[in-house]
Every structure is written in C-alpha cells, then in structure tokens.
Amino acid sequence: MKLSDRIAKIKDAKLVKSFCYSCPWNCPTEVYVRDNKVVYVKGNEDAPNNIGTRCSKGMASWWMTQDPDRLKYPMLRTNAKGQHGEFKRISWDEAFTFIADKLKSIAEKHGPEAVALTCHHDPNTQFYRHLLGDLYGSPNMYTHTSGCEMDRRSACLTLFGHVFPMHDFANSKYIVLWGMNMLGANQGLFESRAVLEAKKRGAKIIVIDPSFTETAQKANEWIPINPGTDGAMALAMCQHIIAKGLHDKEFVKKYCEGFDGFRDHLKDNGYTPEWAAEICGVDAETIKRLAREFATTKPAMSAIFKGSGYYTNGNDAGRACYILDAICGQVDGPGNLHLKDWAPVGLPLDIPEKAKRKPKKEPLHAAMGYPIAPDLPNAQLPKAVIDGDPYPVKALFVQSTNPVMSDPDRDKMLEMFKNLELAVACEVLMSETALECDIVLPETSFYEMAEVRQGLWLGAEAIICQPAIEPIGESKPPYEIAKGIAQKMGWGEHFAFEHWEDWAKTATADLPGGLEKLKELGFWAQPPKFNKLPDCLATKTGKIEIFSHAYADAGFNAYPEYTERSVLPDDDYPLQVTHSKLSMHCNIVTQNNPLLMEICPENWVEINASDAAKYAIEDDQMVVIESPKDNITIRAKVVQGLVPGAVSIRHGHGFGHWAMGSVAKGKGAHSNNLMEIHTNPVTGANCYNECKVRVRPA
C-alpha cells in the first residue's frame, strides 16, 4: 500500500490531490480531509517537483483554512477615502451590482482603458482577464512582476524569447549565482535540493552577493561584491573570456546573433577586469579566474533571479549574466539554464472573437514609455491615477497583491487610492491595500478552490488544485466572482459553467488523459527535453540575441552597458540599503500564520560589525534606520558576512502590517516608505535598493 493510502486509512480521511499556493512555486500536494477539515497535508510523492516533501510554509499552510481573521463576506466602504477604512457587510448580489454599475459608468465617461487589474501569477485571474480584458475591453491586465523578477524576465525574453527558464542545477558542474539565495528565499524545492546535490557530486558553487547568505554558507566560494555592480563584473568576465578565446566559437556562430558587435562593444567601453575591480570591490585576478573556470567547465550555469535587479541598472546586469551562458555555449543542455517546454494547458473559457471589445489605447506600460516591459511598472501607476499621465486610470482591481505595502513610496500609493473612482480588492485577508478600497471581496484560499496551471518543474508539467473543503463563510473562488460580475454586465452567456469541472475540461482538452487523469494523479509531467536550439528560441531572428533587436527597436542600446545606480550613499546617509527574503515567509499569505510567526516573528536589519562599531550598534538592539524620506525602528543583527557600507533589511515589505490580521499586525518593520520611487528605465522594475540611509540606536 502506498504511503498516501496508508495515511488516508490511518487518518480516516479523504485524499485530495492538489497543489500548494503558499508561494508561486506551487508544489503538488496531497490533502487529507475529514469532516470538512484539513487534518494533514504532504507533498505528492509521485510528483517530480518535491518528491513528497514540503517547505515550512507549505507545512503550515493548513492554518489558512481556520484563520479567524479570514475575510468571510463582501464588504462596502462606509467612510470617505483617505481615512482608515470602515466597512459594512453586503450581499454578493449587492457587490456585483455595485461593481457592474461603476464599470458601465467608467466605460461611458472614460473608456474601458481607464480600468486596470493587478494580480499575482494565479491562472484563476484569467477569469478576470476574460471579463475585464476580452469583454470589457481594457488592455491593462497585469501581474506583480515589477515587484519581483522583472529584470530577469526581460533579459530572458529579449535574449532567448522565453518567459521563465528553469535551472538544471543537478547536472551542472559549475554554478554561478548572482544575488540568488536558493536556500534562503521561497525558491522551488526541487531547485534548492538540486544545488546541494550538485555540490555533493563535486560541482563548484560560486555565490556573488553583498551578503553571506544561506546559500553562500553552503557554497565553495563567496564573492562579496559591492551592491548594484553585478553588471560590471559580468561584462568584465565576458570580456576576459572573449579576449582569451575561451568562448564556444561553434555555438556562438551557430546560435547567437551579434557576437562580433558585442566583442567590439566590450573593447570600446573598456569593460576589463581591471576596470570592474574598482567598481565591484572584487580584485581583477579573481574576476579573471572565475571567468576562466566558468568558460572551461562544462556543463556550467550563470543564474540570476531578483537580487541584481533591484537597481536602475538591473536590466543590463541581468542581460550580461545570461550572455555569459550564451558565449560559453551553456544554454539548454543538461546542467545549463533550461528553456523548458510548457504543458498543453489552454484557457478556461472560449470567448468568441465577435464578443471581444478591442481597446482604442495602447497598454499602460507602452504608453508610459516602457514598450518592452514584460509587465506594468507598478510604481508608476500613481501618475496615471493622480495626474492622468499617460491617460487616466479610474478603476483598479487588485487580486492577491498588496501594492500599498509591496511597492516603493507608501505615501504615494495611499494618495493613488484616494483618487480612484472604483477600487476593488479580491483577497483572503484584510490587507493594507484592501483597507483603501471601495469594496472588498472575500476569495477562497487554495484549499477551497479549483485551478489548473503550468507547473514550474524542469519538464513540461500541468498541475491541478482541487477544492478540498467547502468555502469559509461566504467566500468565493475567482471564477465565481468573475461570473457574478459578468452576469450583471450582460455577459453571463460566456461564463456558462455550473461547476468548476466544466471550465477545467476546456482548459485540459489537449492534455493527454484530460481532466480526469489530472484529478487522479494531481499532475501531468514529461521528462525535460534538452538541446532544443534553435527551435525553442522565440526571438525575432530565431537566435540568442546578444544584439537585442527588441532593445534596438525601442531606442535603447542593443548591447548591455554598465551605468551607475541612481542613489549613492553620502556623508549624511552613508549606508546602502539592500533587501533579502526569508525562507519562512512569502508576503501576505504567511505573516498571519501563528506557526510560522512562532519560528520567525519579525524581520530585522543586518549590519556589518565594522559599521556597527562606528555607529554604536550592538547585536539584537533596536535601531532607527532613517532615509531622506522616512524612518523605521527595527531590530539589528551585527554580522561579519556583509559588505561594509551596506545594510540588509530582511523581507522588507512583508512585515510591519497595520491592517492585516491579529497575528501579523504590528510585527516587525515595513521599509518601503524609506524609498522614493525609482523605476528601471527599460523594464519598469521596482528598484527597492535605490535607497541610502543612516542608522542609530533607538
């Protein structure tokens, strides 16, 4: 008898195959239910993602099904904008009518382009996209990427034409991680495990990071680089590899576009290891040695995620880090950056073309001057709402995101919500953003809804979330919320499903085995397919575009260049801010979980011992961090493993809640209001580390 069946028998429970949404990696799971309560959860032992295991966040996630702070009913604001939100309970019919009337009025006065959606990467938001995009006619359907890995995504799209490559760490012999903390943030379990497996088999792990992170502690070598200078070091490594003839000439000739121009670009700009050493704080001989080791060890991988992208020069840093892979022939083979295939999962609804309303204005990101941005530059949204620049936005739907906390400059975000005619929050808990909205709609947790989506394993993978328990209170899943609004708008015929299986069958129509097999197993996966070049390169030229036609067509430098970051420490504010995440937490979904908060109840700031002595800071002391804009009080940890002149605020925009939940409220510090708004000029990414501060004992 399989372990899953044995557990079901012991627990006298029903087994439901599902996946976890405590973080975006969505590990397939097995949920055990008795009397409409989740009594146990474990990883799906057959799925390749997690092989039966869970992370701490996933293990504790069942708390969401009984959290007393859960939103249970639709609520309508009763007081004026700009005040602490007060709400009254209303019915779903009243909520749907209110929203539909507002949408009709806004479309009539301002056009459908005046409505925007920002959400998490939840495929169920496709129902909102069908509603507000296809039928209503807004081009402004966005996710949260500008606050996540926007620069990494832009680099992947412009170089490889791939939206989200994965990492075959397990088969690699030389792994360079640029500001990427695989063992300390919410990365995929299979990738984190694979890094350690590679190390056991003799792979060399190099971590380039201002902080001595959890991953750096396990690495062969930690390179303490100055904040915001990754691009300089990566360009210098490229220059040395090419100058010494160590690049993969055959691969470059066959699969790369613009290599000769890149070689000349490096030479003309003097991007040498000696030049980079002055900028990065890493000596030239170390840069040369790492370049030689990377170029002569196969298979190898140069990888980034968020860390290098939190500066206004982060886009070209990301491109340079990935061009290292390209010039050394380290793309899409075993042990390389992997351009994964996708499962044949389709849309949940089939909206006829004749029913779709075509927008008359271009999407906001393009109108804002970010034509190749992969997502909305969220930090620039207040300009559209408050000033009507580049055109007015009058309504905003926010689903499973918290921009009041997660975007820079909280004050500007609060002002933005005061100026909206309609703000709708679709959320599980009363977030800081929901508190500023006109209407709050209670969504179900992932234990109470269905979802079919792409899996983030190496190979092509589809995964399914099945409702394990009945919805808490009157909460509804996104597909039922979108359906209710659509019916009030007169579009109910396009949301004609009665049960979730109806739309799920449409989404899985091309999936081998269809919906029933997916429900039975919880996932569908195919082994990774390697060496697919050039067929998997969805770029303009069909090659890896070292010379980026997307950049050139948008009026930017086709080759990556190094520019100084925008905010530099000075005599008054001598310390550089950096941010890093925590393995126990993932933004809004974990801070109200008492199990996780018992382990990690607050965030803190790390400061180098030499800086701590200079400013009379002792370990575990409360300190004041002050920027030119604002200040916070936070606990300090004095460390050796941090570049002097920098401070590292752990999980900066996940703590310091003032609205959400009895457990989360008031714990830790929220750092985003320390920052002015700085947006990457090409990708639109939030530049969280463009901030200078000073520190003193509280």
Side-chain angles (χ1 to χ4, degrees):
M1 183 183 291
K2 291 182 64 175
L3 176 60
S4 55
D5 296 325
R6 289 168 57 200
I7 292 174
K9 184 176 181 180
I10 292 169
K11 296 284 187 181
D12 188 24
K14 175 185 176 183
L15 168 59
V16 180
K17 297 293 179 72
S18 191
F19 65 71
C20 176
Y21 204 0
S22 294
C23 83
W25 295 93
N26 301 129
C27 293
T29 60
E30 296 172 349
V31 183
Y32 297 83
V33 179
R34 184 178 64 244
D35 298 329
N36 201 41
K37 290 185 178 181
V38 176
V39 295
Y40 190 68
V41 291
K42 66 181 285 289
N44 187 326
E45 60 194 88
D46 299 316
N49 311 56
N50 51 334
I51 323 172
T53 60
R54 305 292 303 280
C55 73
S56 55
K57 299 183 296 295
M59 290 289 286
S61 63
W62 62 270
W63 173 261
M64 185 66 75
T65 66
Q66 63 179 51
D67 189 337
D69 293 324
R70 280 274 302 269
L71 292 169
K72 298 180 178 67
Y73 317 105
M75 292 188 291
L76 182 67
R77 188 181 191 93
T78 58
N79 62 337
K81 295 282 191 72
Q83 301 176 16
H84 191 83
E86 297 177 0
F87 297 87
K88 68 176 183 180
R89 178 180 174 179
I90 60 173
S91 69
W92 276 106
D93 186 72
E94 289 174 307
F96 293 149
T97 300
F98 179 90
I99 294 169
D101 288 346
K102 286 282 189 180
L103 286 175
K104 291 173 184 176
S105 173
I106 289 170
E108 184 178 329
K109 291 189 293 184
H110 307 285
E113 297 87 355
V115 174
L117 164 75
T118 179
C119 64
H120 208 272
H121 289 298
D122 176 348
N124 271 341
T125 59
Q126 185 57 48
F127 292 95
Y128 295 128
R129 294 165 185 268
H130 281 316
L131 171 71
L132 299 173
D134 291 340
L135 297 169
Y136 189 72
S138 172
N140 298 316
M141 303 289 102
Y142 292 109
T143 61
H144 79 302
T145 319
S146 65
C148 190
E149 36 78 55
M150 185 89 111
D151 284 332
R152 187 248 191 192
R153 184 166 303 196
S154 175
C156 293
L157 286 168
T158 54
L159 275 166
F160 312 117
H162 196 287
V163 67
F164 205 85
M166 304 304 293
H167 310 95
D168 186 22
F169 291 128
N171 292 310
S172 194
K173 294 182 178 179
Y174 198 94
I175 300 168
V176 182
L177 300 175
W178 302 80
M180 189 174 178
N181 188 10
M182 291 301 306
L183 306 180
N186 55 298
Q187 306 300 118
L189 277 181
F190 81 93
E191 289 196 339
S192 299
R193 183 185 293 112
V195 170
L196 298 179
E197 290 172 352
K199 172 84 181 297
K200 288 178 183 177
R201 287 198 294 268
K204 189 169 184 178
I205 314 293
I206 309 295
V207 171
I208 302 172
D209 198 304
S211 297
F212 188 53
T213 63
E214 292 88 342
T215 308
Q217 294 167 33
K218 298 290 186 181
N220 298 82
E221 193 169 355
W222 170 49
I223 308 298
I225 192 172
N226 289 334
T229 64
D230 302 53
M233 183 168 169
L235 287 167
M237 289 176 67
C238 288
Q239 188 276 336
H240 188 71
I241 288 168
I242 294 171
K244 296 300 180 182
L246 299 176
H247 57 287
D248 190 324
K249 301 173 186 62
E250 182 179 349
F251 183 93
V252 164
K253 182 178 180 181
K254 193 172 183 180
Y255 298 119
C256 295
E257 165 84 0
F259 173 80
D260 291 344
F262 181 60
R263 175 197 60 209
D264 297 341
H265 170 74
L266 296 173
K267 181 179 179 181
D268 293 345
N269 285 282
Y271 290 152
T272 64
E274 289 75 16
W275 160 82
E278 294 293 321
I279 297 169
C280 302
V282 181
D283 67 82
E285 290 307 311
T286 298
I287 296 173
K288 292 176 183 178
R289 173 178 59 82
L290 294 174
R292 290 194 301 270
E293 289 176 357
F294 183 80
T296 57
T297 308
K298 292 183 182 291
M301 188 191 319
S302 169
I304 63 170
F305 200 66
K306 298 180 183 179
S308 62
Y310 283 171
Y311 307 88
T312 47
N313 61 12
N315 62 306
D316 277 345
R319 294 168 71 197
C321 292
Y322 281 139
I323 288 175
L324 271 172
D325 291 312
I327 64 174
C328 295
Q330 305 282 16
V331 180
D332 207 48
N336 295 158
L337 186 74
H338 179 54
L339 308 182
K340 69 166 281 170
D341 291 318
W342 301 104
V345 172
L347 297 175
L349 302 180
D350 183 16
I351 307 293
E353 285 299 318
K354 64 180 181 180
K356 295 180 181 179
R357 183 172 182 176
K358 305 300 182 197
K360 296 180 181 179
K361 298 176 183 175
E362 61 183 345
L364 273 171
H365 73 274
M368 287 174 173
Y370 301 89
I372 60 174
D375 208 332
L376 175 68
N378 264 22
Q380 298 299 328
L381 187 57
K383 287 184 179 179
V385 175
I386 299 168
D387 304 323
D389 179 18
Y391 57 76
V393 169
K394 299 295 183 180
L396 180 63
F397 283 71
V398 179
Q399 189 267 348
S400 193
T401 58
N402 194 5
V404 169
M405 280 203 78
S406 62
D407 285 300
D409 196 342
R410 178 189 67 219
D411 297 335
K412 185 64 70 173
M413 282 291 160
L414 292 173
E415 184 183 354
M416 178 184 79
F417 276 90
K418 286 197 301 184
N419 284 270
L420 286 165
E421 292 184 14
L422 172 65
V424 180
C426 307
E427 197 47 88
V428 177
L429 295 162
M430 178 62 82
S431 69
E432 284 69 24
T433 297
L435 201 64
E436 303 303 317
C437 289
D438 299 286
I439 196 162
V440 179
L441 304 180
E443 275 197 1
T444 51
S445 75
F446 60 84
Y447 282 105
E448 304 145 43
M449 70 167 72
E451 189 172 336
V452 177
R453 74 176 298 169
Q454 298 284 350
L456 292 180
W457 181 58
L458 274 175
E461 182 186 42
I463 55 177
I464 188 169
C465 183
Q466 301 184 70
I469 62 173
E470 293 298 314
I472 301 300
E474 294 181 5
S475 60
K476 289 182 180 290
Y479 41 91
E480 294 293 347
I481 295 175
K483 177 181 177 179
I485 300 171
Q487 289 172 333
K488 294 293 183 180
M489 296 290 291
W491 301 323
E493 63 187 286
H494 303 300
F495 289 74
F497 54 86
E498 291 297 322
H499 305 285
W500 70 265
E501 287 94 344
D502 298 335
W503 59 257
K505 286 178 181 176
T506 301
T508 57
D510 296 327
L511 192 70
L515 177 61
E516 292 309 311
K517 195 67 175 177
L518 189 63
K519 289 171 63 177
E520 176 189 346
L521 299 178
F523 71 97
W524 172 92
Q526 292 289 289
K529 297 176 182 177
F530 297 106
N531 301 312
K532 304 182 298 299
L533 302 182
D535 296 340
C536 62
L537 297 170
T539 56
K540 184 177 181 179
T541 61
K543 291 188 174 185
I544 298 172
E545 292 192 353
I546 298 175
F547 176 97
S548 173
H549 287 272
Y551 269 66
D553 292 345
F556 302 113
N557 193 335
Y559 293 115
E561 55 190 349
Y562 179 74
T563 55
E564 187 61 86
R565 59 191 190 275
S566 296
V567 179
L568 297 173
D570 54 32
D571 290 342
D572 290 330
Y573 299 93
L575 298 171
Q576 168 73 45
V577 165
T578 66
H579 287 88
S580 56
K581 301 194 78 172
L582 296 165
S583 61
M584 296 296 166
H585 290 291
C586 188
N587 301 344
I588 195 171
V589 299
T590 59
Q591 265 80 48
N592 208 53
N593 189 314
L595 308 174
L596 295 172
M597 290 294 277
E598 183 178 351
I599 301 169
C600 185
E602 65 179 356
N603 60 334
W604 62 87
V605 62
E606 293 173 0
I607 183 168
N608 182 276
S610 61
D611 291 323
K614 186 185 304 183
Y615 304 115
I617 304 299
E618 297 182 1
D619 187 50
D620 208 37
Q621 181 180 24
M622 299 303 291
V623 298
V624 175
I625 299 179
E626 185 178 7
S627 75
K629 185 177 184 299
D630 201 356
N631 67 82
I632 60 172
T633 300
I634 189 171
R635 191 173 303 279
K637 291 189 182 295
V638 178
V639 300
Q640 297 288 345
L642 179 66
V643 171
V647 295
S648 176
I649 301 175
R650 302 302 303 265
H651 211 279
H653 54 263
F655 281 88
H657 287 280
W658 61 91
M660 191 194 77
S662 55
V663 176
K665 194 176 295 184
K667 301 297 196 317
H670 175 239
S671 64
N672 282 16
N673 208 44
L674 294 173
M675 315 161 205
E676 303 285 353
I677 291 175
H678 291 278
T679 303
N680 185 283
V682 177
T683 67
N686 289 347
C687 300
Y688 292 109
N689 292 350
E690 294 287 6
C691 184
K692 58 184 179 181
V693 297
R694 57 194 179 204
V695 61
R696 58 178 170 81

